[in-house]
Amino acid sequence: MSKKASIGVTGLAVMGRNLARNLARHGHTVALHNRSPQRTRDLVEQFGDEGDFIPAYSAKEFVNSLERPRQVVIMVKAGAPTDAVIDEFAPLLEKGDVIVDAGNAHFADTRRREAALREQGLHFVGTGVSGGEEGALHGPSIMPGGSTESYESLGPLFEDISAKVNGAPCCTHVGPDGAGHFVKMVHNGIEYSDMQLIAESFDLLRGALGYEPAQIAEIFRTWNTGRLDSYLIEITAEVLAHTDPATGKPFVDIVTDQAEQKGTGRWTVQIGLDLGVPISGIAEAVFARSLSGHADLRAASRGLPGPARTPLSGAAAETFADDVERALYASKIVAYAQGFNLIQAGDTEYDWGIDLGALASIWRGGCIIRAKFLDDIRAAYAAEPGLPTLLNAGEFRKAVEDAQDSWRAVVATATRLGIPTPGFSTALAYYDGLRADRLPAALVQGQRDFFGAHTYRRVDREGSFHTAWAAEGRPESIA
């Protein structure tokens, strides 16, 4: 009998190809399939010596090359292309076989697909994979959803090829149906916020101090030796230190200042609105990218008045970089706190049973937001699984307490100099909103009752009330 593959990958663009190579490098026999046969041939020709590959040039040949229960990993574009591949392969599979969508699918699509395939006796596993093409090859962070039964067979393979931190795999069974893609979506939302805060830090150091990118790169390298130690800080220093060979200018100065996005950040904000969770830092990061892309609008607005931007000097300049570091760390805590609150809300809404500490643990390696302080987040949820907000956890509470003067000084300086800091400013406003004894929402409720009879609640007794604003004496009634 011919040898069978333990797992198969269909869709051999960069991510699919590297995931297949990673599996093969770890001793797993991998079936290969792609809509374009040439990609399959190219992979075997270029990387066939890395492990055992079984190339297949039709869906039927691919399925027949897999041992049972068959495990098929789909690595194609989200949306209609994913549905098309499922429609092609599902009729060829048998009860108990597993289809894995390892792309960035919307979790609602994953829930729909999982329910439909369950009716056919198939397991569908929406799986978040983070780390980019290098992570897919050398060890990503992997976030599988789906059934417990499917993880019994998939788990050992995914844990084997995932990144490792102190020997622990950066992979865990997140929860049923769409849980894996939901947490990957929120991971990407946090990533948006983290990147925006780092970009604002660069803009502040350049705009307020007049530093050149190479100088700022050294500051980021120093930050990366402390509590801000993270993949994103590390690569930021590399980007800022890079000189464009064609012009001799700093690389960051020859790149168009219009940031693109692929949708996961937008999805995160949309589900935040649906679930009523204030993820303002993530939303501002998404909108900052959107604003950057409106080149015509920005060009038409450059003549608008604003303050003179005179760089800081003297004692103010000497302490400003340290202030930015403290403000960045405090704002970063807010970003992660909002993201984990959204995961908590999704977990409650869909009854997934997500372990937040386990998520922090698997995000410590392989993924884009991997960072030293994720170990502190893991410890915070281990100590208090129902923690309302990371801002209340010991080390984080102390960090934001220590950052108060710096955080506010940075936002004030940015405002005074006309340097846009939507990430820093929104993080601080969120923090102040949480800690406020009273919010102006009371006035908003009064306004709503005045124009729309929407009613309000009182602080001194139970029930909903309405004031007859147009009547003499404005009598109050129980709604």
Side-chain angles (χ1 to χ4, degrees):
M1 181 181 291
S2 60
K3 187 174 184 178
K4 298 279 189 177
S6 55
I7 193 166
V9 179
T10 180
L12 301 177
V14 176
M15 286 292 289
R17 179 186 66 196
N18 283 2
L19 197 64
R21 291 173 60 197
N22 189 355
L23 284 159
R25 287 176 170 188
H26 282 79
H28 305 289
T29 302
V30 186
L32 304 173
H33 175 266
N34 194 76
R35 184 179 60 179
S36 166
Q38 189 58 45
R39 274 197 173 161
T40 306
R41 295 189 189 97
D42 289 345
L43 194 159
V44 174
E45 182 179 334
Q46 295 175 39
F47 307 108
D49 60 349
E50 294 184 345
D52 290 333
F53 296 108
I54 300 177
Y57 299 100
S58 71
K60 186 175 181 180
E61 182 185 358
F62 177 70
V63 169
N64 288 340
S65 69
L66 295 168
E67 63 185 31
R68 294 178 177 147
R70 301 178 182 94
Q71 300 180 124
V72 176
V73 178
I74 298 172
M75 291 294 283
V76 299
K77 289 183 179 179
T82 298
D83 283 322
V85 173
I86 292 171
D87 290 343
E88 180 181 11
F89 282 94
L92 303 174
L93 299 174
E94 298 176 348
K95 185 176 180 180
D97 289 347
V98 182
I99 298 177
V100 181
D101 177 9
N104 275 334
H106 194 290
F107 80 97
D109 286 337
T110 302
R111 283 169 56 81
R112 167 180 59 80
R113 291 165 181 151
E114 193 276 336
L117 290 170
R118 191 181 342 120
E119 291 292 318
Q120 302 175 41
L122 301 176
H123 297 283
F124 185 74
V125 180
T127 300
V129 178
S130 179
E133 58 185 85
E134 287 300 306
L137 181 60
H138 299 294
S141 176
I142 307 178
M143 298 153 255
S147 66
T148 302
E149 184 181 352
S150 65
Y151 194 76
E152 289 175 1
S153 57
L154 273 175
L157 276 73
F158 282 169
E159 290 175 14
D160 190 26
I161 68 167
S162 71
K164 307 294 188 298
V165 175
N166 299 326
C170 293
C171 174
T172 190
H173 181 219
V174 177
D177 59 69
H181 276 147
F182 185 92
V183 300
K184 175 55 164 58
M185 173 192 70
V186 178
H187 164 286
N188 285 22
I190 294 172
E191 177 186 308
Y192 272 59
S193 187
D194 207 341
M195 292 172 69
Q196 176 64 26
L197 292 167
I198 292 171
E200 290 178 19
S201 299
F202 157 70
D203 204 22
L204 284 161
L205 293 172
R206 196 173 201 187
L209 298 179
Y211 288 174
E212 289 300 312
Q215 292 175 275
I216 301 172
E218 289 306 310
I219 291 173
F220 274 92
R221 288 197 176 106
T222 300
W223 288 353
N224 202 48
T225 63
R227 61 185 180 176
L228 284 170
D229 178 5
S230 67
Y231 174 71
L232 285 172
I233 293 288
E234 176 188 342
I235 66 169
T236 297
E238 293 298 315
V239 172
L240 290 175
H242 182 55
T243 299
D244 174 51
T247 63
K249 296 179 180 179
F251 171 78
V252 74
D253 287 346
I254 59 93
V255 178
T256 304
D257 61 340
Q258 298 175 36
E260 297 179 355
Q261 51 186 305
K262 289 190 174 180
T264 47
R266 185 173 67 252
W267 293 348
T268 307
V269 175
Q270 288 169 338
I271 194 61
L273 292 170
D274 290 342
L275 295 177
V277 180
I279 50 170
S280 50
I282 297 172
E284 284 296 340
V286 173
F287 284 128
R289 292 196 190 189
S290 179
L291 176 63
S292 76
H294 282 270
D296 291 343
L297 177 61
R298 291 172 58 202
S301 305
R302 287 205 174 93
L304 292 174
R309 188 178 291 186
T310 305
L312 301 178
S313 60
E318 290 176 8
T319 62
F320 190 70
D322 289 338
D323 285 339
V324 172
E325 189 273 345
R326 294 186 192 99
L328 174 57
Y329 190 66
S331 299
K332 184 183 177 86
I333 294 169
V334 168
Y336 282 73
Q338 291 182 350
F340 275 88
N341 281 158
L342 181 56
I343 294 172
Q344 284 175 314
D347 185 41
T348 299
E349 177 73 14
Y350 301 108
D351 193 25
W352 283 324
I354 295 174
D355 183 337
L356 297 177
L359 286 187
S361 183
I362 69 168
W363 287 349
R364 293 179 302 164
C367 72
I368 303 301
I369 64 171
R370 61 185 183 266
K372 179 180 179 181
F373 92 141
L374 277 160
D375 215 23
D376 295 330
I377 295 178
R378 179 197 59 76
Y381 283 115
E384 188 179 349
L387 184 67
T389 173
L390 285 171
L391 291 163
N392 279 338
E395 289 299 319
F396 299 128
R397 184 185 180 97
K398 185 177 186 304
V400 294
E401 179 181 355
D402 293 344
Q404 287 300 302
D405 289 345
S406 294
W407 202 359
R408 298 176 193 283
V410 166
V411 172
T413 299
T415 303
R416 181 168 56 81
L417 296 179
I419 300 173
T421 54
F424 281 112
S425 302
T426 298
L428 182 57
Y430 174 85
Y431 174 79
D432 283 339
L434 284 185
R435 67 182 194 85
D437 289 331
R438 291 276 292 171
L439 291 170
L443 176 57
V444 172
Q445 282 300 88
Q447 293 168 332
R448 294 179 72 244
D449 189 61
F450 191 108
F451 66 68
H454 292 297
T455 75
Y456 53 87
R457 294 187 301 274
R458 297 178 59 98
V459 298
D460 55 357
R461 56 184 185 269
E462 295 296 321
S464 296
F465 299 86
H466 168 61
T467 292
W469 296 97
E472 186 176 352
R474 295 179 172 173
E476 182 180 74
S477 60
I478 299 176

